[in-house]
Amino acid sequence: MSEPSSQAAGATSNKESRSPAAQLLLGLRWGRLEEPLGFIKVLEWLFAIFAFGACGSFSAETGATVKCNDDPKETTALTVQFGYPFRLYKVPFDMPDCALGSTDKRTLHLMGDFSAPAEFFVTLGVFAFLYTMAALAVYLRFHSLYKENKKLPFADFCVTVSFTFFWLVAFSAWGKGLSDVKGATRPSSLIASMSVCQLKTAVCNAGATPSMGLANISVLFGFVNFILWAGNCWFVFKETPWHAKATNKESSAEQGAVDKQ
């Protein structure tokens, strides 16, 4: 008799010794991830990370060479680094004067400020990441509450529709902003901004073209996020009372038609 009692006491002590985080993880119903609502939320969580990570970590460089015609006939290789948040007007570079017998340089800046669409895109990605993480926790741990409380599916539907609209605006605005960034940072634009290159005192040549692959991928991730959130609207709508009412009306109409026959 002492062995069963000791085992029960041990089990009780193990439950009490578990941390709240461990108890929360043990209470998660991972099978919900196989359902469309849970699976799409996982994809939204992942692609939100990809979107704001690709845009927020982007950096590249552009450049040009300036060869002065007058003594001391120096050749200067300019390398200008830029990146998120794309406030290009704050990015400096040194332009040689190419004056006779002078090695002085003037500090110039790139042209343009494209921080608004980039920061909006990254901020939306961060909020989408946080929301989907919280929604997954509720859906996996408190699914019965999600089913019983009619306000939760309704709030989830409203938030999902809002994120769908914001992702459409964000990836469209950032796509246009990225196109402007490419135009402002190409080597030909850098040469055009230097007055010494417009005179006969120097010969300017374009350097390496900036690699914008990661920035292009961030726009693609934004589009994928829009598709995911738009598609998820239907699955979230099915959990709302609106869908239940529509289903009840259809079943009642079908039942009435059968009774008439």
Side-chain angles (χ1 to χ4, degrees):
M1 295 295 291
S2 61
E3 291 182 0
S5 61
S6 62
Q7 292 177 356
T12 303
S13 62
N14 288 336
K15 290 182 179 179
E16 292 177 352
S17 62
R18 290 171 182 165
S19 63
Q23 293 178 3
L24 179 62
L25 290 175
L26 290 174
L28 295 178
R29 302 184 64 179
W30 300 104
R32 299 292 182 188
L33 297 180
E34 298 177 359
E35 301 176 0
L37 193 61
F39 181 69
I40 294 179
K41 275 184 166 54
V42 172
L43 293 180
E44 290 172 344
W45 181 74
L46 286 174
F47 278 94
I49 297 174
F50 295 157
F52 75 75
C55 181
S57 63
F58 175 80
S59 64
E61 62 182 31
T62 184
T65 58
V66 180
K67 183 179 181 181
C68 299
N69 293 329
D70 296 329
D71 291 332
K73 295 185 177 181
E74 289 185 341
T75 299
T76 304
L78 301 178
T79 301
V80 186
Q81 294 185 343
F82 64 95
Y84 179 83
F86 304 100
R87 293 188 179 93
L88 301 183
Y89 70 95
K90 291 186 176 181
V91 179
F93 64 94
D94 293 330
M95 179 194 74
D97 276 344
C98 287
L100 183 61
S102 174
T103 58
D104 294 339
K105 295 183 179 181
R106 293 171 52 194
T107 299
L108 302 179
H109 295 80
L110 297 178
M111 298 178 63
D113 182 6
F114 310 99
S115 60
E119 290 181 334
F120 177 68
F121 185 86
V122 170
T123 302
L124 181 63
V126 172
F127 277 108
F129 161 76
L130 295 175
Y131 176 75
T132 50
M133 188 165 57
L136 276 172
V138 172
Y139 189 70
L140 298 180
R141 182 66 177 84
F142 308 104
H143 189 264
S144 58
L145 181 63
Y146 189 88
K147 289 287 187 181
E148 295 170 2
N149 191 337
K150 297 180 180 180
K151 293 182 179 179
L152 286 179
F154 177 76
D156 191 17
F157 176 72
C158 293
V159 173
T160 302
V161 172
S162 300
F163 268 108
T164 301
F165 172 74
F166 287 136
W167 273 119
L168 175 62
V169 174
F171 93 81
S172 300
W174 172 225
K176 175 61 170 62
L178 179 59
S179 177
D180 294 337
V181 169
K182 292 178 180 178
T185 57
R186 62 169 57 104
S188 59
S189 299
L190 182 64
I191 292 173
S193 66
M194 293 187 289
S195 59
V196 70
C197 296
Q198 317 308 320
L199 305 175
K200 295 182 179 181
T201 56
V203 176
C204 300
N205 295 309
T209 302
S211 176
M212 309 295 286
L214 189 61
N216 293 331
I217 292 175
S218 69
V219 177
L220 178 61
F221 284 145
F223 175 73
V224 172
N225 273 287
F226 165 69
I227 296 298
L228 287 174
W229 285 88
N232 198 30
C233 286
W234 166 246
F235 296 104
V236 178
F237 175 74
K238 290 174 66 176
E239 304 292 331
T240 62
W242 294 338
H243 184 264
K245 291 179 181 178
T247 304
N248 292 335
K249 288 182 180 179
E250 290 178 0
S251 60
S252 300
E254 292 177 357
Q255 186 62 38
V258 170
D259 296 339
K260 289 182 181 179
Q261 293 177 358

Coordinates of all heavy atoms in Angstrom, one line a residue, residues 32 35-45 128 131-132 135-136 139 146 153 155-164 167 224-240:
R32 N -3.5 21.0 -33.5 CA -4.3 22.1 -34.1 C -3.5 22.7 -35.3 O -4.1 23.4 -36.1 CB -4.5 23.2 -33.1 CG -5.4 22.8 -31.9 CD -6.8 22.5 -32.3 NE -7.6 22.1 -31.1 CZ -8.8 21.6 -31.2 NH1 -9.4 21.5 -32.4 NH2 -9.5 21.3 -30.1
E35 N -4.6 21.8 -38.7 CA -5.8 22.4 -39.3 C -5.4 23.7 -40.1 O -4.4 24.3 -39.8 CB -6.8 22.8 -38.2 CG -7.2 21.6 -37.4 CD -8.1 21.9 -36.2 OE1 -8.4 23.1 -36.0 OE2 -8.5 21.0 -35.4
P36 N -6.2 24.1 -41.0 CA -5.8 25.3 -41.9 C -5.6 26.5 -41.0 O -4.6 27.3 -41.3 CB -7.0 25.4 -42.8 CG -7.6 24.1 -42.9 CD -7.4 23.5 -41.5
L37 N -6.4 26.8 -40.0 CA -6.3 28.0 -39.2 C -5.0 28.0 -38.5 O -4.3 29.1 -38.5 CB -7.4 28.1 -38.2 CG -7.6 29.5 -37.6 CD1 -7.9 30.5 -38.6 CD2 -8.8 29.4 -36.5
G38 N -4.5 26.9 -37.9 CA -3.3 26.9 -37.2 C -2.1 26.9 -38.2 O -1.1 27.6 -37.9
F39 N -2.2 26.1 -39.2 CA -1.0 26.0 -40.2 C -0.8 27.3 -40.9 O 0.4 27.7 -41.0 CB -1.4 24.9 -41.2 CG -0.3 24.7 -42.2 CD1 0.9 24.1 -41.9 CD2 -0.5 25.1 -43.5 CE1 1.9 23.9 -42.8 CE2 0.6 24.9 -44.5 CZ 1.8 24.3 -44.1
I40 N -1.8 28.0 -41.3 CA -1.6 29.3 -42.0 C -1.0 30.4 -41.0 O -0.2 31.2 -41.4 CB -2.9 29.9 -42.6 CG1 -3.3 28.9 -43.7 CG2 -2.7 31.3 -43.1 CD1 -4.6 29.3 -44.4
K41 N -1.4 30.3 -39.7 CA -0.8 31.2 -38.7 C 0.7 31.0 -38.5 O 1.4 31.9 -38.3 CB -1.6 31.1 -37.4 CG -2.9 31.9 -37.3 CD -3.5 31.9 -36.0 CE -4.5 32.9 -35.8 NZ -5.6 33.0 -36.8
V42 N 1.1 29.7 -38.6 CA 2.5 29.4 -38.5 C 3.2 30.0 -39.7 O 4.3 30.6 -39.6 CB 2.7 27.9 -38.5 CG1 4.2 27.6 -38.6 CG2 2.2 27.3 -37.2
L43 N 2.7 29.9 -40.9 CA 3.3 30.5 -42.1 C 3.3 32.0 -42.0 O 4.3 32.6 -42.4 CB 2.5 30.1 -43.4 CG 2.5 28.6 -43.8 CD1 1.7 28.3 -45.0 CD2 4.0 28.1 -44.0
E44 N 2.3 32.6 -41.5 CA 2.3 34.1 -41.3 C 3.4 34.5 -40.3 O 4.0 35.5 -40.6 CB 0.9 34.5 -40.8 CG -0.2 34.4 -41.7 CD -1.6 34.7 -41.1 OE1 -1.7 34.6 -39.9 OE2 -2.6 34.9 -41.9
W45 N 3.6 33.7 -39.3 CA 4.6 34.0 -38.3 C 6.0 33.9 -39.0 O 6.8 34.8 -38.8 CB 4.5 33.0 -37.2 CG 5.5 33.2 -36.1 CD1 5.5 34.2 -35.1 CD2 6.6 32.3 -35.8 NE1 6.6 34.0 -34.3 CE2 7.2 32.9 -34.7 CE3 7.1 31.2 -36.4 CZ2 8.4 32.3 -34.1 CZ3 8.2 30.6 -35.8 CH2 8.9 31.2 -34.7
A128 N 3.0 42.0 -37.1 CA 2.4 40.7 -37.6 C 3.1 39.5 -36.8 O 2.4 38.5 -36.5 CB 2.6 40.6 -39.1
Y131 N 1.6 39.4 -33.2 CA 0.2 39.1 -33.2 C 0.0 37.6 -33.5 O -0.7 36.9 -32.8 CB -0.6 39.9 -34.2 CG -2.1 39.5 -34.2 CD1 -2.9 39.8 -33.2 CD2 -2.5 38.7 -35.2 CE1 -4.2 39.4 -33.1 CE2 -3.9 38.2 -35.2 CZ -4.7 38.6 -34.2 OH -6.0 38.2 -34.2
T132 N 0.7 37.1 -34.5 CA 0.5 35.7 -34.9 C 1.1 34.8 -33.7 O 0.5 33.7 -33.5 CB 1.2 35.3 -36.2 OG1 2.6 35.8 -36.1 CG2 0.5 35.9 -37.4
A135 N -1.7 34.9 -31.1 CA -2.9 34.2 -31.6 C -2.6 32.6 -31.6 O -3.6 31.9 -31.3 CB -3.2 34.6 -33.1
L136 N -1.4 32.2 -32.0 CA -1.1 30.8 -31.9 C -1.2 30.3 -30.5 O -1.7 29.1 -30.3 CB 0.3 30.5 -32.5 CG 0.4 30.4 -34.0 CD1 1.8 30.4 -34.5 CD2 -0.4 29.2 -34.5
Y139 N -4.8 29.9 -29.7 CA -5.4 28.9 -30.4 C -5.0 27.5 -30.0 O -5.8 26.5 -30.0 CB -5.1 29.1 -31.9 CG -5.9 28.2 -32.9 CD1 -7.2 28.3 -33.1 CD2 -5.2 27.1 -33.5 CE1 -7.9 27.5 -33.9 CE2 -5.9 26.3 -34.4 CZ -7.3 26.5 -34.6 OH -8.0 25.7 -35.4
Y146 N -11.6 29.9 -27.4 CA -11.7 30.4 -28.7 C -13.0 30.0 -29.4 O -13.6 30.8 -30.1 CB -10.5 30.0 -29.6 CG -10.4 30.7 -30.9 CD1 -9.7 31.9 -31.1 CD2 -11.0 30.1 -32.1 CE1 -9.6 32.5 -32.3 CE2 -10.9 30.8 -33.3 CZ -10.2 31.9 -33.4 OH -10.1 32.6 -34.6
P153 N -13.2 35.1 -32.0 CA -13.1 34.9 -33.5 C -13.4 36.2 -34.2 O -12.9 36.5 -35.3 CB -14.2 33.8 -33.7 CG -14.3 33.1 -32.5 CD -14.1 34.1 -31.4
A155 N -12.9 39.3 -33.2 CA -11.7 40.2 -33.1 C -10.6 39.7 -34.0 O -9.9 40.5 -34.7 CB -11.2 40.3 -31.6
D156 N -10.4 38.4 -34.0 CA -9.4 37.8 -34.9 C -9.7 38.1 -36.3 O -8.8 38.4 -37.1 CB -9.3 36.3 -34.6 CG -8.1 35.6 -35.3 OD1 -7.1 36.4 -35.6 OD2 -8.1 34.4 -35.5
F157 N -10.9 38.0 -36.7 CA -11.3 38.3 -38.1 C -11.0 39.7 -38.5 O -10.5 40.0 -39.5 CB -12.8 38.0 -38.3 CG -13.3 38.3 -39.7 CD1 -12.9 37.5 -40.8 CD2 -14.1 39.4 -39.9 CE1 -13.4 37.9 -42.1 CE2 -14.6 39.7 -41.2 CZ -14.2 38.9 -42.3
C158 N -11.4 40.7 -37.6 CA -11.2 42.1 -37.8 C -9.7 42.4 -38.0 O -9.2 43.1 -38.8 CB -11.8 42.9 -36.7 SG -13.6 42.9 -36.7
V159 N -8.9 41.8 -37.1 CA -7.4 42.0 -37.1 C -6.8 41.4 -38.4 O -6.0 42.0 -39.0 CB -6.7 41.4 -35.9 CG1 -5.2 41.5 -36.0 CG2 -7.2 42.2 -34.6
T160 N -7.3 40.3 -38.8 CA -6.8 39.6 -40.0 C -7.1 40.4 -41.2 O -6.2 40.6 -42.1 CB -7.4 38.2 -40.1 OG1 -7.1 37.4 -39.0 CG2 -6.9 37.5 -41.4
V161 N -8.3 41.0 -41.3 CA -8.7 41.8 -42.5 C -7.8 43.1 -42.5 O -7.3 43.5 -43.5 CB -10.2 42.2 -42.4 CG1 -10.5 43.3 -43.5 CG2 -11.0 41.0 -42.6
S162 N -7.5 43.7 -41.3 CA -6.7 44.9 -41.2 C -5.3 44.6 -41.6 O -4.7 45.4 -42.4 CB -6.7 45.4 -39.8 OG -8.0 45.7 -39.3
F163 N -4.7 43.5 -41.2 CA -3.4 43.1 -41.6 C -3.3 42.8 -43.1 O -2.3 43.2 -43.8 CB -2.9 41.9 -40.8 CG -2.1 42.2 -39.6 CD1 -2.7 42.0 -38.3 CD2 -0.8 42.8 -39.6 CE1 -2.0 42.3 -37.2 CE2 -0.2 43.1 -38.5 CZ -0.7 42.9 -37.2
T164 N -4.4 42.3 -43.7 CA -4.4 42.0 -45.1 C -4.3 43.4 -45.9 O -3.5 43.5 -46.8 CB -5.7 41.3 -45.5 OG1 -5.8 40.1 -44.8 CG2 -5.7 41.1 -47.0
W167 N -0.7 44.9 -45.3 CA 0.3 44.2 -46.1 C 0.3 44.6 -47.6 O 1.3 44.8 -48.2 CB 0.2 42.7 -46.0 CG 0.9 42.1 -44.8 CD1 0.4 41.4 -43.8 CD2 2.3 42.2 -44.5 NE1 1.4 41.1 -42.9 CE2 2.6 41.5 -43.3 CE3 3.4 42.8 -45.2 CZ2 3.8 41.4 -42.8 CZ3 4.7 42.7 -44.7 CH2 4.9 42.0 -43.4
V224 N 3.9 37.7 -50.4 CA 3.5 36.4 -49.8 C 2.7 36.6 -48.5 O 1.7 35.9 -48.3 CB 4.8 35.5 -49.6 CG1 4.4 34.2 -48.9 CG2 5.4 35.2 -50.9
N225 N 3.1 37.6 -47.7 CA 2.4 37.8 -46.5 C 1.0 38.3 -46.8 O 0.0 37.9 -46.2 CB 3.1 38.9 -45.7 CG 4.1 38.3 -44.7 OD1 3.8 37.7 -43.7 ND2 5.4 38.5 -45.0
F226 N 0.9 39.2 -47.8 CA -0.5 39.6 -48.2 C -1.3 38.5 -48.7 O -2.5 38.4 -48.3 CB -0.3 40.7 -49.4 CG -1.6 40.9 -50.1 CD1 -2.7 41.6 -49.5 CD2 -1.8 40.5 -51.4 CE1 -3.9 41.8 -50.2 CE2 -3.0 40.7 -52.1 CZ -4.0 41.4 -51.5
I227 N -0.8 37.5 -49.5 CA -1.6 36.4 -49.9 C -2.0 35.5 -48.7 O -3.1 35.0 -48.7 CB -0.7 35.6 -50.9 CG1 -0.5 36.4 -52.2 CG2 -1.4 34.3 -51.3 CD1 -1.7 36.8 -53.0
L228 N -1.1 35.3 -47.8 CA -1.4 34.5 -46.7 C -2.5 35.1 -45.8 O -3.4 34.4 -45.4 CB -0.1 34.3 -45.8 CG 1.0 33.3 -46.4 CD1 2.2 33.4 -45.5 CD2 0.4 31.9 -46.5
W229 N -2.4 36.3 -45.5 CA -3.4 37.0 -44.7 C -4.7 37.1 -45.4 O -5.8 36.9 -44.8 CB -2.9 38.4 -44.2 CG -1.9 38.3 -43.2 CD1 -0.5 38.2 -43.3 CD2 -2.1 38.3 -41.7 NE1 0.1 38.2 -42.1 CE2 -0.8 38.2 -41.1 CE3 -3.2 38.4 -40.9 CZ2 -0.6 38.3 -39.8 CZ3 -3.0 38.4 -39.6 CH2 -1.8 38.3 -39.0
A230 N -4.7 37.3 -46.7 CA -6.0 37.4 -47.5 C -6.6 36.0 -47.5 O -7.9 35.9 -47.3 CB -5.7 37.8 -48.9
G231 N -5.8 34.9 -47.7 CA -6.4 33.6 -47.7 C -6.9 33.2 -46.3 O -7.9 32.5 -46.2
N232 N -6.2 33.7 -45.2 CA -6.7 33.3 -43.9 C -8.0 34.0 -43.5 O -8.6 33.5 -42.5 CB -5.5 33.7 -42.9 CG -5.7 32.9 -41.6 OD1 -6.2 31.8 -41.5 ND2 -5.2 33.6 -40.5
C233 N -8.3 35.0 -44.2 CA -9.6 35.7 -43.8 C -10.8 34.7 -43.9 O -11.7 34.8 -43.0 CB -9.9 36.9 -44.8 SG -8.8 38.3 -44.5
W234 N -10.8 33.8 -44.9 CA -11.9 32.9 -45.0 C -11.9 31.9 -43.9 O -13.0 31.6 -43.3 CB -11.8 32.1 -46.3 CG -12.7 30.9 -46.4 CD1 -12.3 29.6 -46.5 CD2 -14.1 31.0 -46.4 NE1 -13.4 28.8 -46.5 CE2 -14.6 29.6 -46.5 CE3 -15.1 32.0 -46.4 CZ2 -15.9 29.3 -46.5 CZ3 -16.4 31.6 -46.4 CH2 -16.8 30.3 -46.5
F235 N -10.8 31.4 -43.5 CA -10.8 30.4 -42.4 C -11.1 31.0 -41.0 O -11.7 30.4 -40.2 CB -9.4 29.7 -42.3 CG -9.1 28.9 -43.6 CD1 -8.2 29.4 -44.5 CD2 -9.7 27.7 -43.8 CE1 -7.9 28.7 -45.6 CE2 -9.4 26.9 -44.9 CZ -8.5 27.4 -45.9
V236 N -10.7 32.3 -40.8 CA -11.1 32.9 -39.6 C -12.6 33.3 -39.6 O -13.3 33.2 -38.6 CB -10.2 34.2 -39.4 CG1 -10.6 34.9 -38.1 CG2 -8.8 33.8 -39.3
F237 N -13.1 33.7 -40.8 CA -14.5 34.0 -40.9 C -15.4 32.8 -40.6 O -16.5 33.0 -40.0 CB -14.8 34.5 -42.3 CG -16.2 34.7 -42.6 CD1 -16.9 35.9 -42.1 CD2 -17.0 33.9 -43.4 CE1 -18.2 36.1 -42.3 CE2 -18.3 34.1 -43.6 CZ -18.9 35.2 -43.1
K238 N -14.9 31.6 -40.9 CA -15.7 30.4 -40.6 C -15.9 30.2 -39.1 O -16.8 29.5 -38.7 CB -15.0 29.2 -41.2 CG -15.1 29.2 -42.7 CD -14.3 28.0 -43.3 CE -14.9 26.7 -42.9 NZ -14.2 25.6 -43.6
E239 N -15.0 30.8 -38.3 CA -15.2 30.7 -36.8 C -16.1 31.7 -36.2 O -16.4 31.6 -35.0 CB -13.8 30.8 -36.2 CG -12.7 29.8 -36.7 CD -13.1 28.4 -36.3 OE1 -13.7 28.2 -35.3 OE2 -12.7 27.5 -37.1
T240 N -16.5 32.7 -37.0 CA -17.3 33.8 -36.4 C -18.8 33.4 -36.4 O -19.2 32.5 -37.2 CB -17.1 35.1 -37.3 OG1 -17.6 34.8 -38.6 CG2 -15.7 35.5 -37.3

